[in-house]
Amino acid sequence: MLQTTHLERIFIHKENGQEVRLTDPNDRMNPDAVLNFYTGTYPILTNARIVGPEIKNDEVQYRFESTMGTKG
């Protein structure tokens, strides 16, 4: 018999070298809408791109990676 499991979506971004795990505000929102939702709290995400999804540890993980580089 097959058993299905609903995997929780988690959104991850790095801040000061540490991973910050962000919960899914609404499972009906697409990842772009979630990124936009969190830009008010984390302004660095305004220049981020979405990487994923990747299934890890029974979670669907999306990563928000900053596209800002260093000048020099």
Side-chain angles (χ1 to χ4, degrees), residues 28-59:
R28 293 184 181 158
M29 295 170 76
N30 66 26
D32 288 321
V34 174
L35 176 63
N36 189 39
F37 175 82
Y38 278 114
T39 57
T41 306
Y42 301 98
I44 191 76
L45 295 179
T46 57
N47 295 323
R49 66 184 177 102
I50 301 169
V51 177
E54 181 179 357
I55 297 175
K56 242 183 185 177
N57 303 327
D58 291 334
E59 297 174 330

Side-chain angles (χ1 to χ4, degrees), residues 42-49 64-71:
Y42 301 98
I44 191 76
L45 295 179
T46 57
N47 295 323
R49 66 184 177 102
F64 297 148
E65 294 185 355
S66 176
T67 57
M68 294 187 65
T70 57
K71 187 176 179 181

Side-chain angles (χ1 to χ4, degrees), residues 18-31:
Q18 296 202 347
E19 285 190 350
V20 177
R21 295 172 55 90
L22 307 171
T23 59
D24 191 356
N26 186 338
D27 61 353
R28 293 184 181 158
M29 295 170 76
N30 66 26

